[in-house]
Amino acid sequence: MTIYEEGLGANAANYTPLTPADFLERSAAIWPNKVAVIHGDRQVVYREFRRRSRCLASALVRCGIGRGDVVSIIAPNTPAMLEAHYGVIMAGAVLNALNYRLDAESIAFILGHGGARLVLVDRAFAPLMQDALALMETPPVVIGIDDPLTTEGTVLGVDYESFLAEGDATDDWQRPTGEWDSLALNYTSGTTGNPKGVMFHHRGGFLSAMGNAVAFGLEPSSRYLWTLPLFHCNGWTFPWAVTAVGGTHVCLRGVEAAEIFASIAVHRVSHMCAAPIVLNMLVHAPDAVKRRIDHRVRIATGGAAPPSAVIEGMEQLGFEVTHLYGLTETYGPSGLCAWPPEWDDLDLTSRAARMARQGVGYPTVEGFRVVNPQTGFDVLRDGATVGEIWLRGNTVMKGYLKNRAASDEAFAGGWFHSGDLAVMHPDGYAEIKDRSKDIIISGGENISSLEVEEVLYKHPQIMEAAVVARPDATWGETPCAFVTMVPGQKGALDEAAVIAWCRDNLAHYKAPRRVVFQDLPKTSTGKIQKFVLREQARAIE
C-alpha cells in the first residue's frame, strides 16, 4: 500500500462478499411481476420466486440447518430444484444436487461422504431414495416434494409445501462470511470407483454465472429451457445466470424430443443447453415431432466434444449452436468457441468444423492454455502438437472433499490439470483431440479417437459412434469402432463398408480394424463409457 492509499481499506460500504443469492434479490426488486419460472400451466413471478426461496431458507434454519451444513436434493428440473439453488445457500448451507440416474448404493455413498443433514426428494425418486437410505447408518432428514406434473412414487417425510410454511420470508438470510465459503458440492460421475466431491465457493458461483450471461448473450427477454440437468454441476450455473439478467426459466421434467420442440414453440424459448447426446437426439427425431423454428434459438453444448456433423445438423434445423468447454471442477463452462467475423462467409460444413473447437477461455477465466505436461511450456500453435488443457482462475473448484491427494495432483504447478488432450491452432483456438486415457498409440503413432469418430458421424446412416483402443500383437493398439445406426437403418452397413468409409476419409493407419454394431453404454450424464467399450474390444477375437 502506498502513502496515497492510507485509510482506503475495505469496509461495509465498499466490500460485500459476492454470492449468486443476490441475483434473485435484485431481479425480484426490479421485476416483481415478471414471470420467473414456467412449469406446465404454472407460472411463478419473481416476487413469488423470492418469497418461496426465502421461506425455504428460513425453514431450514429453524429446523437446525447451520452454516456449512450440506442439504441434498434429488429432483428433475422443477421449480423446487430452482428454489433450492437459492433457499439452501440463503440458509448458509451447501447445496448438493444429486444425480437421479445413479443407483441406490452411489446415492447412499454421496449422502454419507458429503454429510448431508437433510434431503429434498421429488416423489418420482422416492423408491430410489428409500433404497439408498436403507443402506445408511445415519440417514438425513427427508422432505418430500409433491410435483403436480407427476403421479409417480410417493411423498416421503414432511411435505415440501408444509415445510415452506414453517419458514418466514421476512427472516434475514445468511450471507456468506466470505467469498471462499462453500456454496455447492457436486460429485463427478467417474468411470471407476467412488465419485469425487467437488467443492464450489460463492465467488466462483457468482463469476461463473456472469461469464455465462456474457458468453451466451442472456438478457431480460431471454427464455431458457431446462434441457440440461440441474444436478449437472448446478446446471452449469445457469440457475443463477438466467436469474441474474431477469430471464425466465422454463422447466422440463424429462428430456424428450417432442416436448423440447413443443416447449420451444409454445414458450418462445430463446436459449437452452444440452450435452451432444441431446443434440443428436433432436437431429434424428422423427419428422412427426419436429417443429419449424421461426425465431432465434441459441443452444449451447458441451460436456463432450460434439462432432461437426451434429452441429451442422442442428444448424440445418434452425438452431444457433454455441460450443462451450468445461468440467465439473470448473463450475461447468470455462471455455467457448467465440465466433470471429471472418468465419461468417464460410460454408455450413466449414463453419461446423470450426465450431467443434473448444476455443478460448471464458471472460471470467484467468488462464486457458494447452501445455506439454512434461515441460510445463505451451505447445506450438500449429494445430498438430498435442498437449493438455490447463486452467486457472476464480471459477476453478476449491478442491475435492476429503481427498487432499487428488486435489494436490489436480493443482500441481498452480494450474488445474484437465486431463483433456488438445492442440492449439494458429488463431489461438484450442481443439480437443482426446482424453489422456483415450488416445490410441498404434505403431508409435498417436491416433485421436475423436478424429475417427468425427468421420464416422459424417456417415448419413450412423447416429452414434465411439472409438477405443484394441490390443494388437503387431501394432500394440489399433482403433476399434462401436457404432449405432440411424433408426430404420439397422443392417444397412457391414463392417467392411464402415472401414472403407474411414479409409476414404482418413489416413489408412487411423481407420478402425474392427467395427461393432450396438447401442453405446453411457454414464448417468450421457457420456459414452469408453472404459466399458475398451473391455469389450479386448474380448474380440
Side-chain angles (χ1 to χ4, degrees), residues 240-256:
W240 302 312
V242 174
T243 299
V245 300
T248 298
H249 301 267
V250 181
C251 294
L252 199 62
R253 279 194 67 94
V255 180
E256 297 179 357

Side-chain angles (χ1 to χ4, degrees), residues 140-308:
V141 174
V142 178
I143 305 296
I145 303 168
D146 188 8
D147 186 350
L149 293 192
T150 184
T151 57
E152 293 182 62
T154 56
V155 179
L156 300 179
V158 176
D159 173 68
Y160 180 70
E161 295 300 326
S162 300
F163 185 68
L164 288 191
E166 297 175 9
D168 187 339
T170 64
D171 287 353
D172 289 336
W173 55 274
Q174 305 295 310
R175 297 194 64 86
T177 57
E179 294 174 350
W180 191 253
D181 284 3
S182 294
L183 169 76
L185 171 62
N186 293 291
Y187 281 80
T188 59
S189 56
T191 55
T192 58
N194 289 322
K196 296 193 290 289
V198 176
M199 295 298 301
F200 289 177
H201 50 68
H202 283 259
R203 180 178 181 82
F206 184 101
L207 292 174
S208 181
M210 288 288 92
N212 281 332
V214 172
F216 204 24
L218 296 175
E219 57 187 13
S221 62
S222 297
R223 291 199 155 200
Y224 181 92
L225 179 63
W226 274 106
T227 42
L228 177 75
L230 273 156
F231 67 69
H232 194 184
C233 43
N234 301 111
W236 298 352
T237 74
F238 275 93
W240 302 312
V242 174
T243 299
V245 300
T248 298
H249 301 267
V250 181
C251 294
L252 199 62
R253 279 194 67 94
V255 180
E256 297 179 357
E259 193 164 356
I260 290 172
F261 281 110
S263 295
I264 291 172
V266 172
H267 301 299
R268 305 292 292 178
V269 166
S270 61
H271 294 77
M272 53 196 286
C273 294
I277 185 175
V278 176
L279 273 61
N280 205 27
M281 176 188 72
L282 296 176
V283 168
H284 294 288
D287 291 339
V289 306
K290 290 179 181 176
R291 296 201 185 189
R292 179 178 176 80
I293 297 173
D294 60 0
H295 64 282
R296 188 186 192 198
V297 181
R298 298 184 64 179
I299 184 165
T301 189
S308 62

